[in-house]
Amino acid sequence: MAVMNLAQERVLKVEAVVLEHQEWGEADRLLTLFTREYGRMRAIAKGVRRIRSRKAGHLEPFTRVALVLARGRDLWIVTQAETLEANLALHGDLEGIGYASYVAELLERLTYEEGPNPNLYRLLVDTLRRLDENLDPPALILRYFELHILDLAGFRPELTECVTCRRLIQPEDQYFSSSLGGVLCPTCGKVEPSARPVSMNALRYLRHLQRSTYPEARRARPNPAITTEMERILRDYLTYILEARLNSPEFIRQVRQNLSTTESSSRPPEENASATISDTVIDL
């Protein structure tokens, strides 16, 4: 697909996902979009905060839309909007909003304005659809998204060989260093101050998600302890790359805590025992 010089364009037709919006003036909204054709863009939606606005419902966060944009003095202006995929279930509960917000925030932090990346656009659309359909555990969907957006953004973590001695990783507990960008063997990891232990099973599942298509990745069903370890490793790595913590994970944590407290208090005492979930065996 040929990339146009936006400085010369007066009108654009784009397909986009609305990442977020902010109030702008008395009745407008400033939209952050990730478009298939031009990557991340900002645009003004005029009058959408008025009750009778016809465009407002098409421009909610996490919605995939077809837009016509006209060049304004400083920003693009939305002149037409048509919903292609509403992802309505994501707006139905706080947890869904939290997960989708995390996806949008991470993408916004790892991209720059007007840098087209159609593969990343497809990953975004597919991830929001998977969260909306709720057929797989959110942890699986988010870890897959994290590993593949890191790959597309140029920050793919090394998970197959030691980043120091370059020897292939063996099936045993290893180390991971965010600052060095990947896994270290036990010999190198013990003497590297930035390295943290990583279990053999957590590393196996991370490698599986990194190298697989999503249908293949769905085979992974790690137990809760491994799921938590994978989340910690990738969260630390992302924090190092971004040089700051994301906001949405704290919101998700608070929602989970509130839901756990509510569910625990509403169950009969005999049902409060925790269930044990076994690992799905994957040949890695």
Side-chain angles (χ1 to χ4, degrees):
M1 179 177 59
V3 178
M4 298 180 183
N5 183 355
L6 290 186
Q8 300 175 356
E9 298 300 318
R10 307 305 301 174
V11 177
L12 298 177
K13 291 184 178 181
V14 300
E15 181 181 311
V17 172
V18 181
L19 299 181
E20 64 172 349
H21 59 52
Q22 304 172 30
E23 292 187 359
W24 190 266
E26 295 184 359
D28 307 336
R29 283 195 174 124
L30 174 63
L31 308 177
T32 301
L33 309 167
F34 196 79
T35 69
R36 181 181 60 188
E37 296 83 359
Y38 305 104
R40 185 156 58 86
M41 301 177 67
R42 294 190 302 165
I44 295 292
K46 290 187 172 293
V48 293
R49 288 160 54 201
R50 296 193 180 102
I51 295 176
R52 296 184 179 181
S53 171
R54 295 182 179 181
K55 293 195 291 283
H58 300 281
L59 299 172
E60 290 299 311
F62 324 132
T63 304
R64 183 167 70 94
V65 289
L67 300 175
V68 177
L69 306 177
R71 181 174 293 282
R73 178 178 299 178
D74 299 310
L75 293 165
W76 293 96
I77 298 172
V78 177
T79 60
Q80 296 180 38
E82 179 185 357
T83 298
L84 300 176
E85 202 166 359
N87 293 321
L88 291 176
L90 289 178
H91 299 271
D93 67 277
L94 289 177
E95 212 168 357
I97 292 172
Y99 295 141
S101 297
Y102 174 68
V103 169
E105 184 183 10
L106 183 54
L107 183 139
E108 189 171 353
R109 294 289 297 276
L110 283 172
T111 58
Y112 52 91
E113 287 200 12
E114 299 181 2
N117 192 327
N119 291 330
L120 184 49
Y121 178 78
R122 177 47 52 190
L123 176 65
L124 170 65
V125 170
D126 289 345
T127 300
L128 292 176
R129 182 183 300 124
R130 290 162 188 155
L131 289 170
D132 184 72
E133 292 173 344
N134 197 28
L135 299 177
D136 298 312
L140 169 67
I141 299 170
L142 295 179
R143 299 298 82 78
Y144 184 88
F145 174 75
E146 289 166 342
L147 284 164
H148 287 264
I149 193 175
L150 284 167
D151 196 355
L152 292 168
F155 296 103
R156 179 185 176 98
E158 175 57 64
L159 300 177
T160 59
E161 62 180 36
C162 176
V163 295
T164 299
C165 69
R166 312 314 297 184
R167 293 179 181 174
L168 289 176
I169 292 301
Q170 301 302 311
E172 58 184 332
D173 291 349
Q174 309 287 339
Y175 290 82
F176 188 91
S177 169
S178 295
S179 60
L180 296 180
V183 68
L184 292 87
C185 68
T187 302
C188 296
K190 289 176 183 177
V191 297
E192 170 53 50
S194 66
R196 299 183 63 176
V198 55
S199 70
M200 176 183 67
N201 284 333
L203 181 58
R204 290 172 66 208
Y205 279 110
L206 288 171
R207 290 170 62 178
H208 174 65
L209 296 183
Q210 185 185 64
R211 71 191 184 193
S212 299
T213 63
Y214 189 76
E216 295 168 340
R218 295 181 72 188
R219 297 167 51 208
R221 288 294 188 271
N223 66 34
I226 298 300
T227 298
T228 300
E229 185 180 5
M230 294 164 62
E231 180 177 359
R232 175 187 59 79
I233 292 168
L234 289 176
R235 194 62 45 78
D236 288 347
Y237 184 50
L238 286 164
T239 298
Y240 177 82
I241 290 171
L242 299 172
E243 299 182 344
R245 292 189 178 276
L246 298 168
N247 297 319
S248 45
E250 176 60 22
F251 174 78
I252 294 171
R253 187 193 66 79
Q254 292 179 3
V255 171
R256 286 174 177 170
Q257 184 176 355
N258 292 338
L259 288 175
S260 177
T261 301
T262 302
E263 291 174 358
S264 178
S265 62
S266 64
R267 288 198 202 111
E270 65 272 13
E271 293 183 7
N272 280 329
S274 60
T276 300
I277 303 177
S278 300
D279 284 313
T280 298
V281 177
I282 295 179
D283 182 10
L284 301 180

